[in-house]
Amino acid sequence: MPGTIGGTGGEGAGGDAVPAAGGGGPTGAPGGLRRTLTFRDLIVYGLLFIAPMAPVGIFGTLQAKSHGAITLVYLVATVAMAFTAYSYAQMVRVAPQAGSVYTYARVGLGEGAGFVAGWMAMLDYLLIPAVAYLFSGNALHALVPSVHPWVWTALAVAVTTLLNLWGVRAAARVGFAVLAMEIVVLAVFVVSAVVELIAHGAPRGWAAPLTGEGGFAVGAVLAAVSVAVLSYLGFDAIASFAEEAAGPAANGEGGRGPGGPDRVARAVLTCLVVAGVLFAVQTYLAALLMPVSAAELAARPGEQGGAFYATVDAAVGSRLRDLVAVSKAVGAAFAALAGQAAAGRLLFAMARDRRLPGAMSKVDAGSGVPRRALLGAALVTLVAAVWAARRDDGLDQLSSVVNVGALTAFGLLHASVIGCFWIRRAGGAPSVPRHLVVPLLGLAVVAAVIVEAAGAAQAVGGAWLVVGLGVLAVQYRGRAGGLRG
């Protein structure tokens, strides 16, 4: 196992020593985060953030873009994102601390790169929950039209914020119940789809979701993959709970089994594989049952957003369609819960290192969570979500900008692996396949997806980066002035 780097923080904003990350035994260091999360809890947070039925909303778009080879698209996307998951697994063992990619870039590339990584990840962690809240608000408005979407959106923010403030284990338990509900709904769809296919056969060839309709098109598949990888955003949130992952004893293993960092690494990889299997199965069945061809769907862009629901309605019935819709509405709110929790840990870690206001580095003594950081994340998310809910194009506006932040952070993660193991030699003996080939392939995937991103997303991401660099310059100037003083 590679060497583990301890605390990153030095002194907090208030002058108190910051405990080394990962210390303090099962409950964490005094005043620090508590080590209470089991392996199951970590998987729950990761799958909640991703959402087991994430492809539902973009099923029609990907089916049209890939010429009908949507299942192949998700299989390739899973492999593509595996490079990023593997890099997370490498770095969480070296630096098992809250803050995720912010911490890893600090260790592998230095203070400045760490701040940039954290700054770009903020764009992802703060706005993806806003998108999820807005989706939930719109879905609930469809069920109760007399209540405006922004009211439902604000209510979803309030409920999930209270759960996060209650404590990380309590939120994980409620999240497990919601995740179980989503899995049950997905299982009902799978069984219903199989029964329908056995009874009436498939409207198209059994291999069509893997080979496409009317011939295989490599370019079309790769273009669709650049969109499909965005369905996986969220599995990386598991790494932000590294300081709260329990060791073997707390997991009922009697002191045996992997410790906290290894448990987090294993959870990141497991979550990606589980999500990939779920995505492949549901898209394969839906593609077989879809009443129109991929070419017809491509000619009707207005029908692409609801293509999955239309397929379920036509093949199985309206009751299952409505059940899927309700599941997506509830699941979206709890995806935001997981995202808000991860955002709180990121803000906490950056504040602990005096990169953000020190008040957010405090941990609540009763619940063991970074209360002020969570409230700060909730406030930003609430403003963004309610603003978008009051606009007709709000969902499009938010969705177009959330991805570039995450992808930029992923790029810095891969660079951090190379920097940590090959340049700084901080993670033990380097391996060419694990610490050079994998991160370089991951960087190539990230670069390709950013190039394919919408112009608006690139512009907003670039503007956010420029602001972050300005903040970093001010901080460096302030520190330099303090040293001269």
Side-chain angles (χ1 to χ4, degrees):
M1 177 177 165
T4 299
I5 294 175
T8 62
E11 291 188 349
D16 300 326
V18 176
T27 59
L33 301 171
R34 296 176 182 172
R35 292 193 173 279
T36 58
L37 291 179
T38 65
F39 179 75
R40 189 193 76 173
D41 295 332
L42 295 169
I43 294 295
V44 166
Y45 271 112
L47 287 179
L48 269 180
F49 202 175
I50 292 176
M53 299 186 74
V56 167
I58 58 174
F59 170 79
T61 301
L62 294 181
Q63 180 73 345
K65 188 181 285 288
S66 66
H67 299 179
I70 186 170
T71 303
L72 177 63
V73 165
Y74 271 106
L75 291 175
V76 174
T78 302
V79 173
M81 291 308 295
F83 300 124
T84 296
Y86 194 78
S87 287
Y88 268 107
Q90 295 301 304
M91 292 306 296
V92 76
R93 292 185 173 103
V94 175
Q97 300 155 2
S100 187
V101 68
Y102 158 70
T103 299
Y104 308 151
R106 286 190 73 207
V107 170
L109 301 174
E111 292 279 346
F115 176 83
V116 171
W119 184 263
M120 296 306 293
M122 271 198 287
L123 191 63
D124 167 35
Y125 283 177
L126 293 175
L127 292 187
I128 281 186
V131 172
Y133 283 129
L134 180 56
F135 186 93
S136 182
N138 287 340
L140 292 171
H141 170 68
L143 296 173
V144 187
S146 59
V147 180
H148 195 280
W150 78 263
V151 177
W152 287 119
T153 300
L155 181 62
V157 175
V159 170
T160 52
T161 300
L162 288 174
L163 283 172
N164 271 325
L165 294 175
W166 187 10
V168 68
R169 281 304 306 281
R173 284 193 291 268
V174 176
F176 177 75
V178 173
L179 181 62
M181 178 270 294
E182 292 185 87
I183 297 294
V184 167
V185 171
L186 179 56
V188 171
F189 163 71
V190 169
V191 171
S192 301
V194 170
V195 169
E196 174 67 19
L197 289 168
I198 291 174
H200 302 102
R204 53 191 47 81
W206 293 96
L210 295 168
T211 61
E213 301 173 12
F216 180 71
V218 175
V221 169
L222 293 180
V225 167
S226 70
V227 177
V229 295
L230 304 178
S231 299
Y232 296 85
L233 295 185
F235 77 91
D236 54 296
I238 294 173
S240 67
F241 297 100
E243 289 184 45
E244 295 161 276
N251 283 273
E253 298 177 10
R256 302 179 304 276
D262 284 337
R263 193 175 303 280
V264 173
R266 191 157 53 94
V268 169
L269 295 169
T270 301
C271 184
L272 179 68
V273 172
V274 171
V277 171
L278 294 177
F279 293 173
V281 169
Q282 64 192 274
T283 54
Y284 177 77
L285 294 172
L288 287 178
L289 292 171
M290 197 173 67
V292 299
S293 68
E296 291 175 298
L297 194 59
R300 307 171 192 169
E303 298 178 10
Q304 292 176 11
F308 192 96
Y309 298 106
T311 297
V312 174
D313 190 12
V316 182
S318 60
R319 289 186 179 180
L320 181 56
R321 177 203 62 198
D322 293 340
L323 184 62
V324 170
V326 171
S327 172
K328 285 290 292 178
V330 176
F334 281 84
L337 174 143
Q340 184 192 90
R345 272 68 182 176
L346 173 62
L347 298 181
F348 162 78
M350 295 183 72
R352 185 172 60 184
D353 295 331
R354 294 184 292 179
R355 292 299 187 181
L356 292 176
M360 288 192 288
S361 67
K362 307 301 181 184
V363 176
D364 183 73
S367 61
V369 300
R371 179 179 295 270
R372 294 176 182 175
L374 282 171
L375 288 173
L379 179 61
V380 173
T381 299
L382 175 65
V383 171
V386 170
W387 169 83
R390 296 177 66 87
R391 295 174 56 96
D392 292 336
D393 62 345
L395 185 58
D396 290 338
Q397 292 284 344
L398 275 183
S399 299
S400 66
V401 302
V402 299
N403 303 320
V404 171
L407 294 168
T408 304
F410 287 171
L412 287 169
L413 164 73
H414 293 299
S416 300
V417 174
I418 298 172
C420 178
F421 285 90
W422 288 99
I423 299 174
R424 296 197 163 195
R425 304 282 177 166
S431 163
V432 171
R434 290 182 294 154
H435 306 134
L436 186 62
V437 175
V438 168
L440 285 176
L441 289 173
L443 272 171
V445 171
V446 167
V449 177
I450 290 178
V451 168
E452 289 289 332
Q458 294 172 342
V460 173
W464 181 253
L465 175 60
V466 169
V467 172
L469 292 174
V471 172
L472 181 64
V474 170
Q475 291 184 352
Y476 273 133
R477 190 178 299 116
R479 291 189 178 188
L483 289 175
R484 286 194 298 271

